[in-house]
Amino acid sequence: MSTPPRGKIIVCSAPSGAGKTTLLEHVRQTVPNLVYSISATTRPPRRNERDGADYFFMSVGEFKRRIDAGEFAEWQIVHGSYYGTPRSFVDKTVASGKHLVMDIDVRGKVMFDESYPGAHGILILPPSHEVLEKRLRGRGTDTEETISTRLENARKEIEFAETRGRYEYRIVNDDLEGARKRIVEVVREIIGEGGG
Ligand code: ADP
Ligand code: 5GP
């Protein structure tokens, strides 16, 4: 009776609007057999988002109860809402030998590394602040107030990532085709399916 080799953990971080959802959707369609972690959050669902599929949406009270119960591998307040990664899901997935892809903000990644130092990090960056602003407005999913908060936070997040973040890979999402290719290449390299 042998246990399977543990799955790899891939953490993706990016300031909001940099294109993480777009690029991870491409990875989802291109690289089979990856598991995507579903985080908990107290922010309200956007249109098209479903509870238990995109996030576990919950009240602040419920979220705090779970913090106290030690249920999160990491948690942070991002753009004024709580976000956290359920620990049990991470442990179960990697123990079964499956590779896990996670979406965690730059500060959460530092906290996550304390429990999972072997996690691999990919940082997705926008080509410029101006482009980021254009994309956030173009997405049309957020209010003006939310967009302003996210833009302000983007500067801080990028600075934090550059100074305190430990990311093995950085992808500037300028040309979409190039960034898609690169993220698939990186993911394959991490899970050991890289090369020709
Ligand atoms: P995030 O998940 O990082 O917040 P999204 O993937 O939702 O960002 O991207 C924000 C917006 O920018 C979306 O409307 C998306 O279609 C667009 N977008 C993403 N990547 C590019 C790119 N390389 N060029 C132009 N538009 C892009
Ligand atoms: P959004 O609300 O746009 O889906 O996500 C906003 C931010 O929250 C993004 O920077 C995203 O990476 C971050 N985020 C999503 N899930 C988690 C999580 O489980 N933990 C942490 N720390 N951040 C998360």
Side-chain angles (χ1 to χ4, degrees), residues 81-95:
S81 299
Y82 286 84
Y83 290 81
T85 304
R87 187 185 289 279
S88 60
F89 188 75
V90 177
D91 293 340
K92 225 169 33 199
T93 305
V94 298

Side-chain angles (χ1 to χ4, degrees), residues 80-191:
S81 299
Y82 286 84
Y83 290 81
T85 304
R87 187 185 289 279
S88 60
F89 188 75
V90 177
D91 293 340
K92 225 169 33 199
T93 305
V94 298
S96 73
K98 292 183 184 131
H99 304 305
L100 181 63
V101 179
M102 314 185 63
D103 173 350
I104 302 180
D105 87 297
V106 293
R107 290 182 180 79
K109 164 75 162 56
V110 172
M111 185 168 167
F112 186 76
D113 283 345
E114 288 168 19
S115 300
Y116 302 89
H120 300 268
I122 304 175
L123 179 66
I124 299 165
L125 294 165
S128 69
H129 201 71
E130 290 68 30
V131 170
L132 184 69
E133 180 164 359
K134 229 163 93 187
R135 287 187 190 163
L136 274 175
R137 288 192 200 289
R139 187 165 68 181
T141 54
D142 302 296
T143 62
E144 195 52 40
E145 193 189 342
T146 303
I147 291 172
S148 307
T149 313
R150 285 177 184 238
L151 279 172
E152 218 178 280
N153 288 345
R155 276 188 205 280
K156 295 181 194 152
E157 287 173 359
I158 292 170
E159 197 194 321
F160 184 93
E162 300 289 2
T163 52
R164 293 200 42 207
R166 276 185 289 137
Y167 293 91
E168 296 155 80
Y169 303 94
R170 272 152 209 265
I171 299 175
V172 177
N173 180 19
D174 190 350
D175 162 59
L176 185 56
E177 216 35 58
R180 278 172 152 185
K181 254 198 183 140
R182 181 64 188 141
I183 196 165
V184 165
E185 226 171 62
V186 163
V187 168
R188 290 203 166 123
E189 190 175 307
I190 293 170
I191 65 174

Side-chain angles (χ1 to χ4, degrees), residues 20-33:
K20 187 176 42 193
T21 308
T22 306
L23 293 178
L24 286 183
E25 186 52 37
H26 179 67
V27 172
R28 217 182 262 262
Q29 287 168 15
T30 315
V31 187
N33 302 325

